[in-house]
Every structure is written in structure tokens, then in C-alpha cells.
């Protein structure tokens, strides 16, 4: 027997039409490339999105067409999210930090028909000029006054919208229709495309609103430092309007001082981003002596947050919520532990609990398996590769059968490449990326564990552990560190500092100081680049003159 309920296809545009009605005084505050701060409400945004939709159709774009964006976090980028998907086309967000070669590859692979580019990024398009896909229409996201003098045949965004009507009858289509495309910044081979649907995007927004109630609260201001070009800014352009929040869009200046000033003037309540960004903000807060006024909630994800960072923000009275996820998961898969779960814990216990990746969101399922694919228990101790399943997880990579074949098991679960434990209470702890583990004498050493403890040393500001080849042990860990000040801790200091937490054989064989750690296009520490930089590195015991 079937239920007797209506079926309405889920559409992304319905989030914005809802927000415009339900939260008419909320909206977007954006730092613009033109140099000023722009404010708008959801009703005004909806009207502009309708004009954009007419303009897109005027360019000959429609259902299934891929429309690329090359832009920072700002209101025009937000309009494209809704306008492009609203007409059934696919919003393909391109990461401006990608090397030119990868950018060329994905524009081509996606088969983009138009490219909307921020004023400050037009140089990237000019550099690619001879390699742009044939027929790609470039649109500069600015007004007539600020249109750059460029050799590219480009249209002006505000000109396109100027004479279009402010209302539209949004088309209906099946909810499985593609809406967004984001390529992972692949560590090997070409980037791989995750193609989100209206259904997966709306469900993800609902799941995140339900799963992150402490961060998403009506009338508050939310700052996505995570870029709109990286997995839809973790879905915030959908969750913020759905939850009745105003989004503060930081534009292109993401250093600690710029973020601090913006957060202070715009009363940001919750801010979301990767640990490297929060390291900058943390240093700025320490310099100024107090956090920005009104700042109470920090969501950190994309990479493991060091314990010292979590403790520092918690000590300032800012609640840290660590979320784990992947581009292939829309991306959020977990929520940090809610305050209620931690209310009787000591400060140290709270920080320890927040080191984990939290618990799964409703709709996401976890499976831990060994190398043979045998399912392992969720006992908090047994470590294996984490597989996931759910309505917000990719079912294939876009146009890439080889990558697809390698990513799923026989039952259709997606292999994350993360090595993890899951507790009986559902707590997920990411032990490492399978590629980042160090295998010494047949035993695994977690680079994340070593990094976490080493970063707590007062002499170390940031660090990364990489595996280097060893003739006897296969691999040994080496600590690459950015010093916190003039004094540099010795390897013996570090060993002494970490001795309580590790067996002797797990401790790094060397410490090498660098001025800064290389970052990936999404702002995480790039172990791949580090491994390349250390290709000729020789462990101390094999250096000339060593005993
Ligand atoms: P991306 O697709 O670029 O978002 O990268 C996804 C990967 O980032 C995951 O597979 C994890 O290895 C890592 N990651 C994301 N969030 C966390 C977290 N909270 N803790 C540890 N690793 C994380």
C-alpha cells in the first residue's frame, strides 16, 4: 500500500522564495571587489535572481547547460547559485586557486558554455584566453563603471540584468536534475567532478539545519570563510536563508586582520572554514586581546583541527564545532558534539571530545572496513577505511568511469579514503587519510595524532608530518614545522613533550623548520607538495658523518 501524500519535486529556488517571504529583513552583506560593502535583503535578491534567470535564457542557456563561476564569496555569486539552477542549468564553481592547467582541464571537461568571473579574477581568464573552450561566453561580475579594459570578449553582469523583469515563473523539472558541479582538488590525476542534484542539495540543506542548531539561528549573522567555489561553501548559501540568517560574505581578503574587522563591524555570530584560516584569526585575536564582539560559534572542518586551536577558541568563550565531510558528500557528514552532551565535562574533556569529527548527520551512514572489505565493529578502537552512503553522497563521478569504478564497493558504498574509528555512541574519529599514514615496520602511525600533539608545543605554530622512505622500517615520520618565535625546539624537546602520548617508535625521526607550509587550492596543508619538496631529503641517521 502506498502513502497518499503529494509529491512535489524539490527545487533549490524554493529555498530563496521561502526566505524572501519568511525572513524579509535578512539577506547578504558582501565585501565587493569594487572596494565597498554591499547590503541586500532576500526579497531584493530574489528579484535580481529572476532578472538573472531571464538574462541567462537570453544568452541561450537552459536545462542541463553548464555555467561556470570564477568568483569569491559575494552577492552576485550567490545570485548565480539560484539563477543558474533555477532555470535547470548547472552552476559549476571553479576554484581560482587551481593551477592554470587544471582550470583549463575542468572548464573543458565540464563543457561550460558561459563563465562568470569576478573583477579581481579577470587576469586568470586572460591568461587562459587561447585555451578557453570554443564559444564560452565570459561575463564580468561588475557594473558598467567598473568594467575592465580587457582583450577578452566579455559582457557586463549588471548590463545583462538591467532591463530584465523582476518576476519569473520558475520552471518545474524532476528533482534529480543536476544543479551544481564541483571538482575535487585531486591529489593524483585530474580533478574529479561531483554533480549535485536539486534533491541532494535541498536534502543536504535540511540535514545541516537540523544537525547544526547551535550554529544556525534565526536573525544571526553567519560568515562562510569557506569559499562558494569549494563545495558550495559547505552548503551555507542554502542553509543560511533556510534558517533565516544573514550571510556575511568576505570577498577575497581572508587574512586574520581583514576577517577580524569584518566580523567586528558586522556582528558575526558563527563563522565556518578550514583550520588554516582560523590559525590566522586566532593570531589576530591574540594580538588585539579579545575576540570580535558577538562572535560565539566556530565551525571548523575540511581538515583535522589541532587540539591547541580548539582549546584556544574555547578559552575565549567561542564554542567550537568540528564537522567532517567531503566534496563527494555535498559536503557535510557530521556535526560536532552538542553542548548538552558535554555539560558535565571538564574543560579538558570538552576539548578532547571536540577533537573528534562528531556524529553523523541524519541520512548519512558509515561503514568501516579492512583491506579485504570485511566490515569492522563500531567499537571506537578498530580502525579501517570509512565508507559512506546516503542521499547526499555522489553515486558516480561526472564523466569519469575510471575514477567511478575505483571509488565504490560492490554494494555501492563510497570509499572516503579516510582511516577512521566509529564508537558505539556513533562518534567518528578520523585517524588519517589512507595516503598520509606512515607505515613503519608494518605498523601504522597516524600523522594527524603526531601533528596534534606537536602543535600544542609553544615553540611550534603549525606543522605537518610526512612519511619518508627508510630501508629497514619502510617509512619513518618526519615533522615539518613552522616555528612560533625565535626559539626553535630541538627534536629531543619534542620527543620529551610528546613522550606520554606515543610509543618511542612512533615519534618523528627528525624535525625540519620551514617558513610556511604549502597549501592546497582549498587552503589545507598540501602533503603532496611537501612530499615532493622532501623528495631528496635524507634522514639524520643516513647523513654523512652520522654514526
Ligand atoms: P574535500 O573534498 O576537499 O572537502 O576533502 C575531504 C577530506 O578532507 C576528507 O576526506 C578528510 O580527509 C578531510 N577532512 C574534512 N573534514 C575533516 C575533519 N573535520 N577532520 C579531519 N579530516 C577532515
Amino acid at each position: 500500500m502506498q502513502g497518499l501524500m503529494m509529491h512535489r519535486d524539490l527545487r533549490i529556488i524554493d529555498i530563496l522564495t521561502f526566505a524572501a517571504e519568511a525572513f524579509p529583513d535578512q539577506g547578504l552583506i558582501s565585501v565587493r571587489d569594487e572596494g565597498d560593502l554591499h547590503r541586500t535583503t532576500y526579497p531584493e535578491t530574489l528579484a535580481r535572481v529572476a532578472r538573472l534567470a531571464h538574462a541567462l535564457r537570453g544568452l541561450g542557456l537552459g536545462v542541463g547547460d553548464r555555467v561556470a563561476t570564477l568568483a569569491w564569496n559575494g552577492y552576485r555569486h550567490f545570485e548565480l547559485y539560484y539563477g543558474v539552477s533555477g532555470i535547470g542549468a548547472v552552476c559549476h564553481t571553479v576554484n581560482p586557486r587551481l593551477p592554470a592547467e587544471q582550470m583549463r582541464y575542468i572548464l573543458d571537461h565540464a563543457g561550460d558554455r558561459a563563465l562568470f568571473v569576478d573583477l579581481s579574477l579577470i587576469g586568470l581568464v586572460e591568461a587562459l584566453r587561447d585555451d578557453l573552450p570554443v564559444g564560452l561566453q565570459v561575463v564580468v561580475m561588475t557594473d558598467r563603471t567598473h568594467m575592465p579594459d580587457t582583450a577578452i570578449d566579455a559582457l557586463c553582469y549588471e548590463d545583462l540584468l538591467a532591463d530584465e523583469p523582476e518576476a519569473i515563473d520558475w520552471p518545474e523539472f524532476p528533482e534529480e536534475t543536476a544543479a551544481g558541479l564541483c571538482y575535487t582538488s585531486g591529489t593524483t590525476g585530474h580533478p574529479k567532478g561531483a554533480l549535485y542534484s536539486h534533491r541532494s542539495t535541498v536534502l543536504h540543506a535540511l540535514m545541516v539545519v537540523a544537525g547544526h542548531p547551535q550554529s544556525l539561528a534565526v536573525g544571526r549573522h553567519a560568515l562562510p570563510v569557506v569559499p562558494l567555489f569549494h563545495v558550495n561553501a559547505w552548503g551555507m548559501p542554502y542553509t543560511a536563508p533556510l534558517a533565516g540568517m544573514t550571510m556575511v560574505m568576505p570577498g577575497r581578503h581572508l587574512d586574520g586582520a581583514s576577517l577580524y574587522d569584518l566580523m567586528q563591524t558586522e556582528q558575526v555570530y558563527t563563522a565556518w572554514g578550514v583550520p588554516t584560516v582560523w590559525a590566522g584569526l586566532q593570531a589576530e585575536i591574540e594580538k588585539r586581546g579579545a575576540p570580535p564582539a558577538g562572535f560565539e560559534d566556530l565551525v571548523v572542518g575540511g581538515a583535522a583541527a589541532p587540539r591547541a586551536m580548539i582549546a584556544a577558541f574555547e578559552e575565549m568563550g567561542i564554542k567550537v564545532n568540528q564537522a567532517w565531510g567531503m566534496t563527494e558528500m555535498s559536503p557535510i557528514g557530521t556535526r560536532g558534539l552538542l553542548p548538552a552532551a558535554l555539560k558535565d565535562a571538564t574543560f579538558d574533556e570538552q576539548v578532547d571530545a571536540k577533537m573528534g569529527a562528531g556524529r553523523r548527520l541524519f541520512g548519512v551512514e558509515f561503514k568501516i572496513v579492512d583491506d579485504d572489505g570485511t566490515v569492522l565493529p563500531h567499537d571506537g578502537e578498530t580502525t579501517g577505511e570509512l565508507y559512506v552512503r546516503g542521499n547526499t553522497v555522489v553515486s558516480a563521478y561526472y564523466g569519469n568511469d575510471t575514477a567511478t569504478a575505483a571509488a565504490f564497493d560492490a554494494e555501492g558504498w563510497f570509499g572516503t579514503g579516510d582511516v577512521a574509528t566509529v564508537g558505539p555512541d556513533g562518534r567518528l574519529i578520523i585517524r588519517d587519510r589512507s595516503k598520509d599514514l606512515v607505515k613503519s615496520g608494518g605498523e601504522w602511525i597516524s600523522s594527524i595524532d603526531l601533528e596534534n600533539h606537536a602543535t600544542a608545543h609553544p615553540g611550534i605554530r603549525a606543522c605537518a608530518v610526512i612519511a619518508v622512505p627508510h630501508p629497514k622500517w619502510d617509512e619513518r615520520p618526519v615533522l615539518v614545522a613552522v616555528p612560533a618565535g625565535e626559539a626553535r625546539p630541538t627534536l629531543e624537546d619534542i620527543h620529551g613533550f610528546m613522550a606520554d602520548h606515543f610509543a618511542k617508535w612512533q615519534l618523528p625521526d627528525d624535525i625540519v623548520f620551514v617558513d610556511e607550509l604549502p597549501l592546497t587550492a582549498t587552503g589545507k596543508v598540501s602533503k603532496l607538495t611537501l612530499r615532493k619538496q622532501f623528495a631528496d631529503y635524507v634522514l639524520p641517521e643516513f647523513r654523512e658523518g652520522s654514526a
Side-chain angles (χ1 to χ4, degrees):
M1 186 187 252
Q2 293 221 318
L4 291 174
M5 303 307 287
M6 289 185 193
H7 175 95
R8 303 283 303 147
D9 286 310
L10 299 172
R11 291 185 311 183
I12 288 173
I13 190 65
D14 293 324
I15 295 178
L16 187 59
T17 47
F18 167 75
E21 259 172 47
F23 309 111
D25 52 343
Q26 301 296 315
L28 310 170
I29 300 167
S30 313
V31 177
R32 300 205 299 175
D33 266 0
E34 288 90 343
D36 55 356
L37 208 57
H38 176 274
R39 292 172 197 279
T40 182
T41 63
Y42 286 132
E44 287 162 357
T45 304
L46 181 62
R48 277 175 60 85
V49 169
R51 285 157 62 182
L52 172 64
H54 288 293
L56 292 168
R57 283 185 172 157
L59 292 175
L61 299 165
V63 177
D65 285 328
R66 271 80 70 205
V67 177
T69 64
L70 197 54
W72 306 112
N73 291 5
Y75 66 104
R76 294 189 183 107
H77 204 174
F78 180 97
E79 289 164 5
L80 282 155
Y81 266 51
Y82 284 93
V84 171
S85 62
I87 62 163
V90 181
C91 183
H92 170 206
T93 50
V94 181
N95 184 338
R97 299 193 190 115
L98 286 178
E101 195 190 310
Q102 285 192 11
M103 211 181 281
R104 196 178 306 134
Y105 168 83
I106 65 171
L107 288 172
D108 204 47
H109 187 264
D112 292 315
R113 294 205 41 214
L115 171 62
F116 285 73
V117 58
D118 257 352
L119 202 49
S120 60
L121 295 171
I122 188 83
L124 294 179
V125 183
E126 283 166 343
L128 286 176
R129 190 158 73 124
D130 296 336
D131 298 304
L132 290 176
V134 180
L136 183 85
Q137 177 61 62
V138 177
V139 180
V140 185
M141 293 158 71
T142 191
D143 53 31
R144 176 62 32 205
T145 323
H146 294 90
M147 266 306 270
D149 189 13
T150 170
I152 302 233
D153 182 17
L155 297 171
C156 165
Y157 187 90
E158 293 300 334
D159 283 0
L160 273 183
L161 267 60
D163 298 325
E164 298 293 351
E166 289 193 344
I168 192 168
D169 208 1
W170 291 106
E172 307 242 351
F173 33 72
E175 62 186 12
E176 294 82 8
T177 303
L181 178 61
C182 180
Y183 283 74
T184 60
S185 44
T187 42
T188 49
H190 287 305
K192 295 169 281 186
L195 184 60
Y196 312 113
S197 65
H198 283 260
R199 174 182 158 79
S200 69
T201 307
V202 174
L203 288 177
H204 180 262
L206 290 167
M207 283 157 52
V208 174
V209 171
H212 288 261
Q214 74 286 15
S215 306
L216 299 169
V218 181
R220 305 269 194 154
H221 288 192
L223 173 82
V225 181
V226 51
L228 269 76
F229 56 73
H230 183 213
V231 219
N232 303 331
W234 299 351
M236 199 186 270
Y238 311 114
T239 49
L242 198 56
M245 300 183 84
T246 286
M247 264 170 93
V248 179
M249 306 275 223
R252 66 184 198 273
H253 299 296
L254 306 179
D255 58 286
S258 306
L259 288 178
Y260 190 106
D261 289 340
L262 182 65
M263 292 170 78
Q264 172 94 357
T265 42
E266 297 309 325
Q267 295 286 301
V268 167
Y269 163 74
T270 183
W272 298 38
V274 293
T276 35
V277 165
W278 302 135
L281 182 69
Q282 188 187 334
E284 190 63 24
I285 293 175
E286 279 159 15
K287 207 158 86 194
R288 302 205 198 186
F295 178 33
E296 288 183 32
D297 183 88
L298 178 72
V299 178
V300 58
R307 190 182 194 285
M309 174 183 286
I310 297 177
F313 278 106
E314 289 277 337
E315 262 162 25
M316 296 172 208
I318 296 156
K319 293 284 164 231
V320 179
N321 171 10
Q322 182 159 194
W324 166 88
M326 299 186 78
T327 305
E328 290 88 338
M329 296 176 68
S330 301
I332 300 183
T334 66
R335 61 169 169 83
L337 298 185
L338 296 180
L342 299 169
K343 71 178 186 329
D344 296 326
T346 63
F347 181 80
D348 276 347
E349 284 167 350
Q350 291 201 20
V351 174
D352 284 341
K354 289 181 177 212
M355 292 278 298
R359 294 193 172 108
R360 72 188 175 100
L361 291 187
F362 166 76
V364 176
E365 290 173 77
F366 294 155
K367 175 169 93 171
I368 303 272
V369 301
D370 68 11
D371 288 348
D372 305 325
T374 307
V375 177
L376 300 171
H378 289 189
D379 58 8
E381 279 170 21
T382 314
T383 304
E385 186 181 346
L386 176 64
Y387 276 71
V388 290
R389 183 166 80 169
N391 286 310
T392 52
V393 180
V394 290
S395 61
Y397 285 110
Y398 174 63
N400 191 337
D401 292 343
T402 319
T404 299
F408 297 86
D409 72 7
E411 293 168 338
W413 291 70
F414 174 76
T416 64
D418 284 342
V419 178
T421 56
V422 179
D425 58 356
R427 288 194 198 189
L428 173 71
I429 301 195
I430 304 294
R431 305 287 172 181
D432 223 332
R433 290 292 293 164
S434 49
K435 288 182 231 55
D436 295 342
L437 281 168
V438 183
K439 195 161 199 184
S440 175
E443 298 287 345
W444 294 109
I445 304 174
S446 161
S447 62
I448 291 188
D449 275 356
L450 289 175
E451 288 158 9
N452 262 322
H453 284 91
T455 331
H457 190 285
I460 292 185
R461 185 152 65 81
C463 71
V465 168
I466 52 166
V468 295
H470 187 284
K472 179 169 176 197
W473 303 113
D474 283 338
E475 289 178 349
R476 291 296 303 153
V478 167
L479 181 69
V480 185
V482 180
E486 289 300 306
R488 298 183 167 198
T490 62
L491 186 64
E492 287 68 38
D493 294 337
I494 294 294
H495 280 191
F497 184 72
M498 307 211 295
D500 286 350
H501 304 282
F502 296 91
K504 207 156 177 280
W505 62 270
Q506 294 176 314
L507 291 169
D509 278 15
D510 195 10
I511 178 166
V512 181
F513 286 99
V514 291
D515 290 338
E516 55 186 29
L517 294 168
L519 299 182
T520 65
T522 50
K524 306 180 195 184
V525 173
S526 172
K527 297 254 176 120
L528 188 73
T529 313
L530 265 187
R531 282 194 278 267
K532 278 191 198 144
Q533 286 174 357
F534 280 74
D536 299 327
Y537 167 87
V538 179
L539 282 164
E541 63 180 297
F542 302 113
R543 286 182 204 151
E544 242 170 88
S546 64

